[in-house]
């Protein structure tokens, strides 16, 4: 039995997924001898655990004889769905009978790390002191995150500098503005681990201050885990 509608693009139809969304489209032409109405549509994907979801349809889904219509495919998905290409089918229920259209769902690899808290603060910091804290590394993508050794970072002192805010004729208006100047080096130590997609792990962090720092100052260091930096404020 011939398909009720002609698919105007090459099969399998590409459906692309990234992070929490999948999207695609298919153009259908009515080459039959009567108007056809699409009463229902669904997408079935051969994930390791196959899933089927309804495709929302507009109120008027009739396709006149000789006319073409675009069927938009949009759906949410868990952000930790493994990347890869999966066989799929777009299944239509029409007034001229059912129709199945071959599709491929391509899920992109997403590397999405999050570090919380984003700011850690230590007070009463002295030279050569070793400080300890814990951050949580959250994997919000679908690719494992390797938490390696945190590299050493330059210590930054938070200072104020004059900044020009307005020039009018012979008048110059200046106000203090925050700035940073480099100091010594802060060294870090932490256990290495792997954070699986959709999970999180605590990462204990130790940082050792340089041998020379000025008292009663505000310093900052910006260590990195994977692709994300977090702020460590140090009050001496």
């Amino acid at each position: 039995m011939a398909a009720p509608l002609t698919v105007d693009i090459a099969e399998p139809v590409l459906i692309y997924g990234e992070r929490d969304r999948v999207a695609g489209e298919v153009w259908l032409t009515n080459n039959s001898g009567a108007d056809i109405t699409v009463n229902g549509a669904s997408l079935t994907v051969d994930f390791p655990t196959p899933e089927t979801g309804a495709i929302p349809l507009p109120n008027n889904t009739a396709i006149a004889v000789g006319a073409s219509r675009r069927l938009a495919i949009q759906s949410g998905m868990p952000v930790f769905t493994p990347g890869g290409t999966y066989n799929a089918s777009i299944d239509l229920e029409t007034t001229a009978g059912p129709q199945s259209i071959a599709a491929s769902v391509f899920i992109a690899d997403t590397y999405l790390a999050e570090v919380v808290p984003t700011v850690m603060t230590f007070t009463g910091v002295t030279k050569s002191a070793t400080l300890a804290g814990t951050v949580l590394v959250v994997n919000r993508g679908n690719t494992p995150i390797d938490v390696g050794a945190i590299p050493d970072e330059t210590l930054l002192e938070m200072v104020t500098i004059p900044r020009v805010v307005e020039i009018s004729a012979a008048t110059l208006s200046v106000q203090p503005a925050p700035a940073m100047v480099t100091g010594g080096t802060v060294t870090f130590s932490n256990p290495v681990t792997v954070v699986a997609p959709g999970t999180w792990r605590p990462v204990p962090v130790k940082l050792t201050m340089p041998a020379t720092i000025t008292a009663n100052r505000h310093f900052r260091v910006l260590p990195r885990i994977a692709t994300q930096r977090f702020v460590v404020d140090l009050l001496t």
Side-chain angles (χ1 to χ4, degrees):
M1 179 179 176
L5 298 167
T6 300
V7 181
D8 294 338
I9 60 177
E11 296 185 51
V13 174
L14 174 63
I15 300 172
Y16 179 75
E18 186 173 8
R19 296 193 178 179
D20 62 348
R21 305 293 298 175
V22 294
E25 65 177 20
V26 58
W27 282 89
L28 304 170
T29 298
N30 182 358
N31 290 319
S32 71
D35 293 354
I36 294 176
T37 298
V38 180
N39 295 318
S42 63
L43 173 67
T44 299
V45 186
D46 291 337
F47 290 129
T49 300
E51 295 185 17
T52 300
I55 299 173
L57 298 174
N59 292 330
N60 180 13
T61 55
I63 305 177
V65 175
S68 297
R69 186 147 194 178
R70 173 179 176 264
L71 177 63
I73 303 164
Q74 294 185 349
S75 177
M77 71 171 185
V79 295
F80 46 82
T81 301
T85 302
Y86 301 88
N87 294 327
S89 64
I90 302 166
D91 299 306
L92 308 178
E93 293 295 332
T94 79
T95 52
Q99 181 172 350
S100 184
I101 303 168
S104 287
V105 175
F106 178 80
I107 305 297
D109 289 329
T110 53
Y111 191 92
L112 189 57
E114 181 178 341
V115 178
V116 291
T118 56
V119 180
M120 300 174 63
T121 302
F122 295 93
T123 61
V125 178
T126 58
K127 62 183 180 180
S128 302
T130 297
L131 312 172
T134 298
V135 295
L136 305 181
V137 179
V138 185
N139 188 343
R140 299 199 181 278
N142 63 4
T143 304
I145 295 172
D146 292 322
V147 179
I150 299 175
D152 298 346
E153 294 288 348
T154 299
L155 189 65
L156 305 170
E157 183 179 356
M158 307 299 294
V159 298
T160 58
I161 59 172
R163 179 171 295 171
V164 176
V165 294
E166 183 181 2
I167 299 177
S168 177
T171 303
L172 181 67
S173 179
V174 177
Q175 291 183 354
M180 294 183 288
V181 295
T182 58
T185 299
V186 177
T187 60
F188 292 84
S189 64
N190 62 283
V192 298
T193 187
V194 177
V195 185
T199 67
W200 59 274
R201 284 186 180 275
V203 177
V205 178
K206 290 185 178 180
L207 54 156
T208 301
M209 300 297 293
T212 302
I213 56 173
T214 305
N216 198 28
R217 294 289 190 271
H218 176 194
F219 293 92
R220 177 170 290 174
V221 66
L222 304 172
R224 175 182 58 83
I225 292 180
T227 58
Q228 297 298 307
R229 291 189 181 272
F230 59 101
V231 176
V232 179
D233 279 326
L234 305 157
L235 306 179
T236 61

